[in-house]
Amino acid sequence: MSLPLLLLLPLSLILIFTPTHSQPSPGYYPSSKFRTRGFYQGYHNLWGPNHQSVSRDQSSLTIWLDKTSGSGFKSTRPFSYQTAKRIRDTMTRFFVDDVPIRRYPRKNPYTFPMRPMWVYGSIWDASAWATDDGRFKADYRYQPFVARFTRFIIGGCSAYSRRRCRPFSMSPPGYRGLSPRQAAVMRWAQKHYMVYNYCQDSRRDHSLTPECRL
């Protein structure tokens, strides 16, 4: 039986992935420009170590959720947008496996990340609030809920990089933002898998999230 995978992504965007929809091609695969590495070369356990298993060659990580706990991991170093890139970029984009899942334009300094950012991955029970305001609860008769990660790739400008660092473009040559194919696959991902978007949560104080008012 296929079970959904709940991922907490940057800026409180939650998607549930199940293998029920055929994914269209984004037409561009920036991850192919980087070499894979062992898990401990770029990440470490953040919480739930007893619910996490790394393969002997560090090529894969398995984390699982049951009634007692979930698990999560985090990159060993933070990343940031360099000064030159902050001037050049017009939007912030988030990707999962080369598929864009979230974007918002930079229209003022308050809608652009200035603090260092880490890469996170986790599995945990958010059904008390994330699934249609808690309407659908996790059914632990089917535990454990398992997520497996492979092909660990991490790249970009570290928060400690020199100012001349230039991160690799996440869009095809000739595009400053998403290409038409990338935009189409982002809409597909949001239509089929997004169950929570903090910008659409009326209970949140959106004075603290100016990007939601764009």
Side-chain angles (χ1 to χ4, degrees):
M1 177 178 181
S2 297
L3 297 174
L5 166 60
L6 180 65
L7 293 179
L8 176 64
L9 300 165
L11 302 182
S12 297
L13 179 71
I14 291 181
L15 294 89
I16 293 181
F17 293 95
T18 54
T20 57
H21 302 283
S22 178
Q23 175 184 315
S25 169
Y28 185 66
Y29 299 89
S31 67
S32 65
K33 307 297 182 180
F34 299 91
R35 293 191 305 172
T36 59
R37 60 177 64 191
F39 175 77
Y40 291 117
Q41 291 180 300
Y43 303 90
H44 66 272
N45 173 262
L46 181 62
W47 60 282
N50 294 330
H51 287 65
Q52 184 173 115
S53 175
V54 180
S55 64
R56 180 172 298 182
D57 62 359
Q58 299 185 39
S59 65
S60 67
L61 167 75
T62 302
I63 58 178
W64 59 92
L65 166 70
D66 58 28
K67 282 186 176 181
T68 63
S69 180
S71 186
F73 61 95
K74 177 183 177 180
S75 61
T76 55
R77 61 174 179 165
F79 295 85
S80 69
Y81 288 81
Q82 301 299 302
T83 301
K85 188 167 180 62
R86 285 201 294 268
I87 295 173
R88 184 174 67 252
D89 265 10
T90 58
M91 68 175 61
T92 303
R93 291 147 287 174
F94 296 96
F95 292 75
V96 173
D97 291 342
D98 294 315
V99 174
I101 58 171
R102 172 81 167 122
R103 69 173 176 180
Y104 58 87
R106 178 198 181 206
K107 293 189 176 180
N108 62 64
Y110 301 104
T111 60
F112 208 77
M114 303 296 289
R115 294 181 297 177
M117 298 181 292
W118 280 260
V119 178
Y120 292 88
S122 63
I123 183 169
W124 54 286
D125 186 359
S127 61
W129 57 273
T131 54
D132 196 9
D133 199 21
R135 180 181 177 187
F136 304 101
K137 304 296 185 182
D139 190 343
Y140 285 102
R141 292 179 300 172
Y142 301 105
Q143 68 175 357
F145 302 99
V146 179
R148 185 169 181 264
F149 298 82
T150 61
R151 295 187 66 246
F152 295 105
I153 297 172
I154 191 166
C157 291
S158 164
Y160 314 117
S161 297
R162 297 179 180 179
R163 294 176 65 87
R164 65 171 179 267
C165 175
R166 296 293 184 270
F168 187 82
S169 175
M170 298 298 289
S171 298
Y175 293 95
R176 296 184 65 183
L178 297 178
S179 70
R181 290 186 68 177
Q182 287 179 312
V185 77
M186 180 185 69
R187 291 191 295 269
W188 169 87
Q190 292 178 346
K191 175 182 177 181
H192 292 294
Y193 298 115
M194 185 169 67
V195 297
Y196 177 78
N197 186 337
Y198 70 106
C199 282
Q200 299 172 359
D201 189 342
S202 60
R203 297 166 300 178
R204 295 181 65 107
D205 180 3
H206 289 298
S207 66
L208 303 176
T209 55
E211 69 277 6
C212 293
R213 301 195 299 270
L214 298 178

